Amino acid sequence: MTDRIPGFSTLAIHAGAQPDPSTGARVTPIYQTTAFVFDDVDHAASLFGLQAFGNIYTRITNPTTAALEERVAALEGGTAALAVASGHAAQLLVFHAMLRPGDNIVAGNKLYGGSINQMNHSFKSFGWEVKWTEATDPQSFADKIDENTRAIFIESLANPGGVVTDIEAIAAIARDRGIPLVVDNTLASPYLCRPIEHGADIVVHSLTKFMGGHGNSMGGVIVDGGTFDWSASGNYPMLSEPRPEYSGMVLHETFGNFAFAIACRVLGLRDLGPAISPMNSFLILTGIETLPLRMQRHSDSARKVAEFLSGHDKVEWVSYAGLKGDPYHSLQQKYMPKGGGAVLTFGVKGGYDAGVALVSNVELHSHLANIGDTRSLIIHPASTTHRQLTDEQKTAAGAGPDVVRLSVGLEDVEDIIADLEQALSAV
Ligand SMILES: *Cc1c(COP(=O)(O)O)cnc(C)c1O
């Protein structure tokens, strides 16, 4: 082999995987086992003491999942990754490793509705506060940070508003204040955007969406950028103070630039328990092999659908950063120049009732709460995913009464457009 650095598509197929050492199986097998036999008592002791890497129990590590973790870390340009049961589990473990009761995070307000719920409700019972700020205004993040702020949280490409966040501007504020920037990169995927290159410290994904890509398995991942100094401030004791259960080991000291991924695994995943199943790791690994092809096709078709909708007389507005003239087009050109992704929103004339009528009349599109499937998906957020929010929160999150969201699939784009055309004519 030459010392060429493999390209993204090569990594999407090969990173983290090699033929199975015991059988020669070319595809990473599904290691559908709960536990792993120790070589001997000393081996067991070194595994439990974190002195050796190896498998004990599938809640904490599994070889199929390890291949997935290594692959995603390579695609995002991180030092290590931890795969878990869902995107929400990834977010929970990230903040569990950073926050203690009374601490807070500053979060941009353009987020997936489920994340807004998770942070507004469940995080409260951990004693964690969320200070919401305007995702499109980097300075507003600086204004919200106080002495108990332990992280900033944003989405690179925000769901469902079609907003591209100015990652570098927000990363500069985080760096200046000595706190890590956590970026949810679910909608963009590392094919379109690599937040660590723009200053993010931690990346999270719902693997359920574009990474898996086929709408068949739940998963989440945490990628450690290896960039943040967990010991400098004394504010991240899970990483910077001795751990009694590991004979006084200090995780940051022992594991250096991948200590955060280790902390999420050996403290968060160990104790909170949201492990991904090996079967789901296998399905998501397989999905990732075609990520570059799929994301390019999703983006190209979404742009054509956005152009069609912009010219339609029953459509009030279209929000898609890949569209020329869109307010976020220049940020899209900077952060995700290969395309604007699959997800777009538009306003149908006639408000709430028109939105309901549209989703009731589609035939090819599936009316459901998901994105990132091979199939084209449609939803009216105000009556579904965002219905728990107040009207004010709905509008702030880009989910007002007239908003319809599409996740443009991989069917022939002419068929996708024809279905929207017939459904709009019924509104
Ligand atoms: C779906 C989604 C999540 C949550 O992921 P799950 O796998 O459903 O738990 C988080 N962030 C974004 C942007 C999402 O689209």
Side-chain angles (χ1 to χ4, degrees):
M1 282 291 275
T2 63
D3 50 12
R4 248 185 91 77
I5 299 169
F8 190 91
S9 297
T10 305
L11 292 173
I13 294 168
H14 292 284
Q18 45 286 146
D20 183 52
S22 56
T23 62
R26 187 62 192 87
V27 172
T28 302
I30 307 165
Y31 286 94
Q32 192 68 37
T33 180
T34 308
F36 300 84
V37 175
F38 307 119
D39 298 343
D40 52 35
V41 173
D42 290 345
H43 177 226
S46 65
L47 290 176
F48 278 100
L50 302 183
Q51 271 103 29
F53 290 106
N55 300 303
I56 300 175
Y57 191 63
T58 285
R59 169 150 42 76
I60 302 170
T61 58
N62 174 279
T64 311
T65 301
L68 171 63
E69 291 165 341
E70 211 179 304
R71 187 165 301 173
V72 176
L75 295 179
E76 285 287 1
T79 52
L82 172 66
V84 294
S86 68
H88 270 9
Q91 291 168 198
L92 173 63
L93 294 197
V94 161
F95 295 118
H96 173 260
M98 291 178 180
L99 275 72
R100 315 225 293 162
D103 289 343
N104 69 66
I105 63 172
V106 171
N109 57 0
K110 303 280 188 294
L111 295 188
Y112 171 65
S115 299
I116 297 177
N117 273 333
Q118 182 190 43
M119 293 179 179
N120 273 339
H121 302 294
S122 292
F123 279 14
K124 281 224 173 80
S125 55
F126 291 87
W128 307 336
E129 197 201 332
V130 178
K131 302 173 107 188
W132 296 106
T133 192
E134 179 47 55
T136 57
D137 174 11
Q139 185 53 40
S140 72
F141 287 80
D143 298 342
K144 286 279 161 88
I145 294 169
D146 65 24
E147 71 281 5
N148 295 322
T149 302
R150 297 292 172 260
I152 292 178
F153 184 76
I154 57 172
E155 289 180 6
S156 49
L157 180 59
N159 175 6
V163 172
V164 179
T165 310
D166 192 347
I167 304 172
E168 287 178 9
I170 297 169
I173 292 165
R175 184 139 311 136
D176 182 49
R177 305 295 285 270
I179 54 178
L181 173 63
V182 183
V183 178
D184 180 340
N185 198 31
T186 299
L187 263 72
S189 90
Y191 174 73
L192 295 177
C193 178
R194 304 211 322 158
I196 294 167
E197 287 173 357
H198 299 291
D201 298 293
I202 306 294
V203 171
V204 293
H205 278 276
S206 170
L207 295 173
T208 315
K209 314 292 171 53
F210 295 97
M211 298 286 257
H214 295 72
N216 59 21
S217 11
M218 301 290 303
V221 73
I222 299 162
V223 182
D224 189 343
T227 43
F228 191 74
D229 183 346
W230 303 102
S231 305
S233 64
N235 286 335
Y236 302 92
M238 292 200 26
L239 286 115
S240 66
E241 287 179 8
R243 294 303 307 184
E245 70 271 61
Y246 296 117
S247 345
M249 180 183 277
V250 175
L251 295 180
H252 187 211
E253 207 174 274
T254 305
F255 297 104
N257 71 358
F258 60 100
F260 188 77
I262 295 276
C264 291
R265 184 189 303 281
V266 305
L267 306 177
L269 188 56
R270 181 198 66 183
D271 291 352
L272 300 174
I276 189 169
S277 82
M279 179 72 190
N280 282 13
S281 293
F282 170 83
L283 289 166
I284 294 166
L285 259 178
T286 305
I288 289 175
E289 295 183 5
T290 55
L291 179 73
L293 295 170
R294 289 186 290 102
M295 287 314 292
Q296 193 62 60
R297 174 70 171 269
H298 277 304
S299 298
D300 294 347
S301 293
R303 188 178 41 76
K304 289 180 190 152
V305 170
E307 282 163 0
F308 158 76
L309 290 170
S310 313
H312 199 286
D313 61 7
K314 288 193 178 161
V315 173
E316 189 80 51
W317 54 267
V318 176
S319 174
Y320 182 63
L323 206 54
K324 280 203 189 73
D326 186 90
Y328 298 99
H329 189 60
S330 61
L331 285 171
Q332 182 257 322
Q333 293 290 302
K334 172 171 180 177
Y335 290 109
M336 41 199 80
K338 290 197 287 272
V343 178
L344 64 92
T345 52
F346 63 98
V348 51
K349 286 184 185 160
Y352 190 94
D353 294 339
V356 169
L358 179 65
V359 297
S360 308
N361 280 291
V362 289
E363 288 164 6
L364 179 66
H365 285 74
S366 304
H367 177 213
L368 53 72
N370 194 18
I371 55 170
D373 196 324
T374 53
R375 285 150 273 266
S376 287
L377 314 176
I378 191 166
I379 198 160
H380 178 230
S383 60
T384 55
T385 50
H386 286 62
R387 70 178 305 139
Q388 297 100 318
L389 305 183
T390 64
D391 283 350
E392 208 173 43
Q393 285 172 328
K394 277 185 191 134
T395 305
D402 62 332
V403 177
V404 174
R405 184 187 75 196
L406 299 181
S407 176
V408 177
L410 303 178
E411 303 95 338
D412 290 293
V413 69
E414 296 77 10
D415 292 330
I416 298 170
I417 290 173
D419 189 43
L420 292 169
E421 174 97 78
Q422 68 77 22
L424 279 166
S425 70
V427 166

